[in-house]
Amino acid sequence: GAGVSQSPSNKVTEKGKDVELRCDPISGHTALYWYRQSLGQGLEFLIYFQGNSAPDKSGLPSDRFSAERTGGSVSTLTIQRTQQEDSAVYLCASSPDRGQTDTQYFGPGTRLTVL
Amino acid sequence: AQSVTQLGSHVSVSEGALVLLRCNYSSSVPPYLFWYVQYPNQGLQLLLKYTSAATLVKGINGFEAEFKKSETSFHLTKPSAHMSDAAEYFCAVRYSSASKIIFGSGTRLSIRP
């Protein structure tokens, strides 16, 4: 079956521009997560959705970052006025949300480069 | 603060040698524990997870991990390394069903011929 998909796979933008990153989770998965992976770093948690609501958005680094999820499915991560330090791979994951030991299924990521 | 620590950002072993990747968590309440693997140019995939059913957990590709509450550890091992095991390995913890999953900083495993 189809896995988690993300688009675009690569995005190059100029400093100060806004970008939108999209995540299509596995059908039926109620939980959705966004992470950021910078070069040589681990995964930095950004935000967690349960359905369309976000019980935990504590990882969003600044008010330039926002995310939404509609219809309990697709999610969009928006970065406004991008900065060079925003350059990273942005990963999305989804899970059935059946409990604490849920397995997260990751997408291939979007590589964002801010010039 | 709840966290997970992976000792050693880079581990190099010879093919056929024992693989040991270390993971320690910080909590008096045992969390739910996971190991994920990221092969070059691929997405992360689950290697194994601790579900409290057994302290020794077996995963894919011959890997296993043992949960030791007294040491707050969940180290990943494999008796004999293969070249194909070269990848980045991430330990992760979750403290409740409503909480985020916290990932360690990762350990890059290299295999020497």
Side-chain angles (χ1 to χ4, degrees), chain B:
Chain B
Q2 297 167 339
S3 66
V4 58
T5 302
Q6 290 184 246
L7 288 176
S9 60
H10 183 208
V11 170
S12 179
V13 303
S14 298
E15 190 173 18
L18 171 72
V19 175
L20 170 61
L21 305 182
R22 299 177 186 274
C23 173
N24 287 87
Y25 63 90
S26 62
S27 172
S28 58
V29 177
Y32 298 91
L33 296 148
F34 309 80
W35 274 99
Y36 281 83
V37 59
Q38 186 175 33
Y39 295 105
N41 300 315
Q42 294 187 31
L44 278 86
Q45 58 182 281
L46 182 71
L47 202 54
L48 51 81
K49 62 183 176 182
Y50 169 65
T51 63
S52 75
T55 56
L56 183 62
V57 182
K58 294 188 184 298
I60 60 173
N61 301 335
F63 283 92
E64 61 183 36
E66 186 172 8
F67 172 69
K68 291 187 177 180
K69 183 178 177 180
S70 61
E71 298 178 7
T72 60
S73 70
F74 191 57
H75 301 331
L76 182 71
T77 60
K78 182 173 180 177
S80 177
H82 294 167
M83 296 299 292
S84 60
D85 294 327
E88 186 96 20
Y89 292 80
F90 294 93
C91 182
V93 301
R94 189 178 199 182
Y95 289 94
S96 75
S97 60
S99 75
K100 63 193 178 192
I101 292 181
I102 302 169
F103 281 82
S105 55
T107 298
R108 183 163 61 89
L109 176 65
S110 300
I111 311 297
R112 301 188 300 271

